[in-house]
Amino acid sequence: MNLSINKITENKFEVKIYGNSVTVHQVIISEDIYLRLTNSKISKEKLLEFSFAFLLERESNASILTSFDLQVISKYFSNYEHEVRSFIDTL
């Protein structure tokens, strides 16, 4: 599945996922969650790419919330933050 990321503001992004259907998602990444997850080692866009790949391994693009704060992923998938850190450690 392909996706495109458009930066709307410093903390707000629009993500389009091109699959069987095209879906559009508005995502907020607060500075706090960005720094806690990445320690600024990757860009917010790279964090979004990883996060959506993580979500798409677990659900269809049509099942992903259309608008959410990135930290909400941890509420649905308890291993999300660990997976982000593991990904960063491989870079």
Side-chain angles (χ1 to χ4, degrees):
M1 228 173 270
N2 291 327
L3 61 89
S4 66
I5 298 170
N6 182 34
K7 185 176 185 178
I8 297 170
T9 67
E10 193 61 36
N11 296 329
K12 185 175 183 179
F13 297 82
E14 179 183 84
V15 180
K16 285 187 184 178
I17 303 173
Y18 303 91
N20 291 336
S21 63
V22 176
T23 57
V24 179
H25 311 270
Q26 301 285 327
V27 184
I28 302 290
I29 304 176
S30 70
E31 285 302 310
D32 288 344
I33 191 72
Y34 171 67
L35 293 172
R36 191 179 66 183
L37 288 175
T38 70
N39 201 22
S40 299
K41 292 181 180 176
I42 60 173
S43 67
K44 288 182 180 178
E45 289 85 351
K46 192 73 173 169
L47 176 59
L48 278 172
E49 286 175 16
F50 173 84
S51 299
F52 274 85
F54 175 90
L55 290 171
L56 289 166
E57 288 177 1
R58 291 154 180 81
E59 59 188 350
S60 72
N61 61 322
S63 297
I64 298 172
L65 298 171
T66 57
S67 182
F68 62 96
D69 189 300
L70 194 72
Q71 68 187 5
V72 79
I73 297 173
S74 296
K75 294 180 182 178
Y76 292 97
F77 302 101
S78 59
N79 64 332
Y80 168 70
E81 291 189 15
H82 172 76
E83 293 290 324
V84 171
R85 290 187 186 103
S86 293
F87 167 70
I88 291 170
D89 286 345
T90 65
L91 299 177

Short mmCIF file of all heavy atoms in Angstrom, two decimals, residues 34-65:
data_model
loop_
_atom_site.label_atom_id
_atom_site.label_comp_id
_atom_site.label_asym_id
_atom_site.label_seq_id
_atom_site.Cartn_x
_atom_site.Cartn_y
_atom_site.Cartn_z
N TYR A 34 6.45 13.20 20.22
CA TYR A 34 7.53 13.06 19.23
C TYR A 34 8.88 12.88 19.92
O TYR A 34 9.63 11.96 19.59
CB TYR A 34 7.54 14.29 18.32
CG TYR A 34 8.74 14.36 17.41
CD1 TYR A 34 8.92 13.43 16.39
CD2 TYR A 34 9.70 15.35 17.59
CE1 TYR A 34 10.04 13.50 15.58
CE2 TYR A 34 10.81 15.42 16.77
CZ TYR A 34 10.98 14.50 15.76
OH TYR A 34 12.09 14.55 14.96
N LEU A 35 9.17 13.74 20.89
CA LEU A 35 10.45 13.63 21.59
C LEU A 35 10.54 12.37 22.43
O LEU A 35 11.59 11.72 22.47
CB LEU A 35 10.68 14.87 22.45
CG LEU A 35 10.88 16.17 21.69
CD1 LEU A 35 10.91 17.35 22.64
CD2 LEU A 35 12.14 16.11 20.85
N ARG A 36 9.44 11.99 23.07
CA ARG A 36 9.46 10.79 23.91
C ARG A 36 9.69 9.53 23.07
O ARG A 36 10.43 8.64 23.46
CB ARG A 36 8.15 10.66 24.68
CG ARG A 36 8.20 9.59 25.76
CD ARG A 36 6.94 9.51 26.52
NE ARG A 36 5.93 9.03 25.58
CZ ARG A 36 4.66 8.88 25.86
NH1 ARG A 36 4.20 9.18 27.03
NH2 ARG A 36 3.82 8.43 24.98
N LEU A 37 9.06 9.48 21.90
CA LEU A 37 9.20 8.29 21.06
C LEU A 37 10.51 8.24 20.29
O LEU A 37 11.08 7.17 20.09
CB LEU A 37 8.04 8.21 20.06
CG LEU A 37 6.67 7.85 20.59
CD1 LEU A 37 5.64 7.94 19.48
CD2 LEU A 37 6.68 6.47 21.21
N THR A 38 10.97 9.39 19.81
CA THR A 38 12.09 9.38 18.86
C THR A 38 13.35 10.06 19.35
O THR A 38 14.40 9.88 18.73
CB THR A 38 11.68 10.09 17.56
OG1 THR A 38 11.54 11.50 17.82
CG2 THR A 38 10.38 9.53 16.99
N ASN A 39 13.26 10.89 20.39
CA ASN A 39 14.40 11.68 20.84
C ASN A 39 15.00 12.48 19.66
O ASN A 39 16.20 12.65 19.56
CB ASN A 39 15.46 10.79 21.50
CG ASN A 39 16.38 11.57 22.41
OD1 ASN A 39 16.03 12.65 22.87
ND2 ASN A 39 17.56 11.03 22.64
N SER A 40 14.13 12.87 18.74
CA SER A 40 14.49 13.64 17.53
C SER A 40 15.45 12.89 16.60
O SER A 40 16.12 13.52 15.78
CB SER A 40 15.09 15.00 17.90
OG SER A 40 14.15 15.77 18.61
N LYS A 41 15.49 11.58 16.68
CA LYS A 41 16.41 10.82 15.84
C LYS A 41 15.87 10.61 14.43
O LYS A 41 16.64 10.31 13.51
CB LYS A 41 16.72 9.47 16.48
CG LYS A 41 17.55 9.61 17.75
CD LYS A 41 17.86 8.27 18.35
CE LYS A 41 18.70 8.44 19.61
NZ LYS A 41 18.95 7.16 20.27
N ILE A 42 14.54 10.72 14.25
CA ILE A 42 13.94 10.65 12.93
C ILE A 42 12.94 11.80 12.80
O ILE A 42 12.53 12.39 13.79
CB ILE A 42 13.22 9.29 12.66
CG1 ILE A 42 12.09 9.06 13.66
CG2 ILE A 42 14.23 8.14 12.67
CD1 ILE A 42 11.22 7.84 13.36
N SER A 43 12.56 12.10 11.58
CA SER A 43 11.61 13.18 11.34
C SER A 43 10.19 12.75 11.72
O SER A 43 9.90 11.55 11.85
CB SER A 43 11.62 13.59 9.86
OG SER A 43 11.11 12.52 9.07
N LYS A 44 9.32 13.71 11.87
CA LYS A 44 7.91 13.39 12.13
C LYS A 44 7.32 12.62 10.96
O LYS A 44 6.51 11.71 11.15
CB LYS A 44 7.11 14.65 12.41
CG LYS A 44 7.43 15.26 13.75
CD LYS A 44 6.59 16.50 14.03
CE LYS A 44 6.93 17.08 15.40
NZ LYS A 44 6.16 18.30 15.66
N GLU A 45 7.73 12.95 9.75
CA GLU A 45 7.24 12.24 8.57
C GLU A 45 7.67 10.77 8.61
O GLU A 45 6.87 9.87 8.30
CB GLU A 45 7.73 12.91 7.29
CG GLU A 45 7.06 14.25 7.01
CD GLU A 45 7.71 15.45 7.70
OE1 GLU A 45 8.61 15.27 8.57
OE2 GLU A 45 7.31 16.59 7.40
N LYS A 46 8.92 10.52 8.98
CA LYS A 46 9.40 9.13 9.08
C LYS A 46 8.66 8.39 10.18
O LYS A 46 8.33 7.20 10.03
CB LYS A 46 10.91 9.14 9.34
CG LYS A 46 11.56 7.80 9.18
CD LYS A 46 11.65 7.44 7.72
CE LYS A 46 12.45 6.18 7.53
NZ LYS A 46 12.32 5.67 6.16
N LEU A 47 8.37 9.06 11.28
CA LEU A 47 7.58 8.47 12.36
C LEU A 47 6.19 8.11 11.86
O LEU A 47 5.67 7.03 12.17
CB LEU A 47 7.50 9.42 13.55
CG LEU A 47 6.64 8.97 14.73
CD1 LEU A 47 7.12 7.64 15.31
CD2 LEU A 47 6.62 10.06 15.80
N LEU A 48 5.60 8.98 11.06
CA LEU A 48 4.28 8.68 10.48
C LEU A 48 4.34 7.49 9.53
O LEU A 48 3.46 6.64 9.55
CB LEU A 48 3.73 9.90 9.74
CG LEU A 48 3.05 10.96 10.59
CD1 LEU A 48 2.73 12.17 9.75
CD2 LEU A 48 1.80 10.41 11.25
N GLU A 49 5.37 7.44 8.69
CA GLU A 49 5.52 6.29 7.78
C GLU A 49 5.58 4.99 8.57
O GLU A 49 4.90 4.02 8.23
CB GLU A 49 6.80 6.43 6.94
CG GLU A 49 6.72 7.46 5.86
CD GLU A 49 8.06 7.63 5.13
OE1 GLU A 49 8.95 6.76 5.26
OE2 GLU A 49 8.21 8.65 4.44
N PHE A 50 6.41 4.97 9.60
CA PHE A 50 6.50 3.77 10.43
C PHE A 50 5.17 3.46 11.09
O PHE A 50 4.72 2.32 11.11
CB PHE A 50 7.59 3.91 11.51
CG PHE A 50 7.56 2.75 12.45
CD1 PHE A 50 8.22 1.58 12.13
CD2 PHE A 50 6.83 2.80 13.64
CE1 PHE A 50 8.15 0.47 12.97
CE2 PHE A 50 6.76 1.70 14.47
CZ PHE A 50 7.42 0.54 14.14
N SER A 51 4.52 4.48 11.65
CA SER A 51 3.28 4.29 12.39
C SER A 51 2.17 3.74 11.51
O SER A 51 1.42 2.84 11.92
CB SER A 51 2.83 5.61 13.03
OG SER A 51 3.83 6.06 13.93
N PHE A 52 2.07 4.25 10.29
CA PHE A 52 1.04 3.74 9.40
C PHE A 52 1.38 2.34 8.90
O PHE A 52 0.48 1.51 8.73
CB PHE A 52 0.75 4.72 8.26
CG PHE A 52 -0.27 5.75 8.67
CD1 PHE A 52 0.10 6.90 9.34
CD2 PHE A 52 -1.62 5.56 8.41
CE1 PHE A 52 -0.83 7.85 9.74
CE2 PHE A 52 -2.57 6.49 8.81
CZ PHE A 52 -2.18 7.63 9.48
N ALA A 53 2.64 2.04 8.67
CA ALA A 53 3.02 0.67 8.31
C ALA A 53 2.65 -0.27 9.46
O ALA A 53 2.12 -1.37 9.25
CB ALA A 53 4.52 0.58 8.01
N PHE A 54 2.92 0.16 10.68
CA PHE A 54 2.57 -0.61 11.89
C PHE A 54 1.06 -0.87 11.91
O PHE A 54 0.61 -2.00 12.13
CB PHE A 54 3.01 0.18 13.12
CG PHE A 54 2.62 -0.43 14.44
CD1 PHE A 54 3.46 -1.33 15.08
CD2 PHE A 54 1.42 -0.09 15.06
CE1 PHE A 54 3.10 -1.89 16.30
CE2 PHE A 54 1.05 -0.64 16.28
CZ PHE A 54 1.89 -1.55 16.90
N LEU A 55 0.27 0.18 11.71
CA LEU A 55 -1.19 0.03 11.74
C LEU A 55 -1.69 -0.86 10.61
O LEU A 55 -2.57 -1.71 10.82
CB LEU A 55 -1.86 1.41 11.64
CG LEU A 55 -1.72 2.30 12.87
CD1 LEU A 55 -2.24 3.70 12.55
CD2 LEU A 55 -2.47 1.71 14.06
N LEU A 56 -1.13 -0.69 9.42
CA LEU A 56 -1.60 -1.45 8.26
C LEU A 56 -1.26 -2.94 8.35
O LEU A 56 -1.89 -3.75 7.68
CB LEU A 56 -1.07 -0.84 6.97
CG LEU A 56 -1.70 0.52 6.63
CD1 LEU A 56 -0.89 1.22 5.55
CD2 LEU A 56 -3.16 0.34 6.22
N GLU A 57 -0.28 -3.30 9.17
CA GLU A 57 0.00 -4.71 9.42
C GLU A 57 -1.10 -5.34 10.28
O GLU A 57 -1.22 -6.55 10.35
CB GLU A 57 1.34 -4.88 10.14
CG GLU A 57 2.54 -4.61 9.27
CD GLU A 57 3.84 -4.72 10.04
OE1 GLU A 57 3.82 -5.01 11.26
OE2 GLU A 57 4.89 -4.48 9.43
N ARG A 58 -1.87 -4.50 10.97
CA ARG A 58 -2.85 -4.97 11.94
C ARG A 58 -4.30 -4.72 11.55
O ARG A 58 -5.21 -5.33 12.10
CB ARG A 58 -2.56 -4.31 13.30
CG ARG A 58 -1.27 -4.82 13.90
CD ARG A 58 -0.62 -3.84 14.85
NE ARG A 58 0.61 -4.41 15.39
CZ ARG A 58 1.77 -4.41 14.76
NH1 ARG A 58 1.89 -3.88 13.56
NH2 ARG A 58 2.83 -4.96 15.33
N GLU A 59 -4.53 -3.79 10.61
CA GLU A 59 -5.89 -3.47 10.19
C GLU A 59 -5.88 -2.82 8.81
O GLU A 59 -4.85 -2.37 8.36
CB GLU A 59 -6.59 -2.56 11.21
CG GLU A 59 -5.88 -1.24 11.45
CD GLU A 59 -6.48 -0.45 12.61
OE1 GLU A 59 -7.56 -0.81 13.11
OE2 GLU A 59 -5.88 0.54 13.00
N SER A 60 -7.04 -2.79 8.17
CA SER A 60 -7.14 -2.18 6.85
C SER A 60 -7.12 -0.67 6.97
O SER A 60 -7.42 -0.11 8.04
CB SER A 60 -8.44 -2.62 6.17
OG SER A 60 -9.55 -1.99 6.78
N ASN A 61 -6.78 0.00 5.87
CA ASN A 61 -6.75 1.46 5.91
C ASN A 61 -8.13 2.04 6.22
O ASN A 61 -8.24 3.07 6.85
CB ASN A 61 -6.16 2.05 4.63
CG ASN A 61 -6.92 1.72 3.38
OD1 ASN A 61 -7.42 0.61 3.22
ND2 ASN A 61 -6.98 2.66 2.47
N ALA A 62 -9.19 1.35 5.82
CA ALA A 62 -10.54 1.83 6.10
C ALA A 62 -10.89 1.74 7.59
O ALA A 62 -11.79 2.42 8.06
CB ALA A 62 -11.56 1.04 5.28
N SER A 63 -10.14 0.93 8.34
CA SER A 63 -10.39 0.78 9.78
C SER A 63 -9.62 1.79 10.63
O SER A 63 -9.90 1.94 11.81
CB SER A 63 -10.00 -0.63 10.24
OG SER A 63 -10.79 -1.59 9.59
N ILE A 64 -8.66 2.47 10.04
CA ILE A 64 -7.85 3.44 10.78
C ILE A 64 -8.67 4.72 10.97
O ILE A 64 -9.33 5.18 10.04
CB ILE A 64 -6.54 3.74 10.03
CG1 ILE A 64 -5.69 2.46 9.92
CG2 ILE A 64 -5.74 4.84 10.73
CD1 ILE A 64 -4.46 2.59 9.04
N LEU A 65 -8.63 5.26 12.17
CA LEU A 65 -9.36 6.49 12.47
C LEU A 65 -9.02 7.59 11.46
O LEU A 65 -7.87 7.70 11.03
CB LEU A 65 -9.02 6.98 13.88
CG LEU A 65 -9.39 6.07 15.04
CD1 LEU A 65 -8.78 6.59 16.34
CD2 LEU A 65 -10.89 5.95 15.16
#
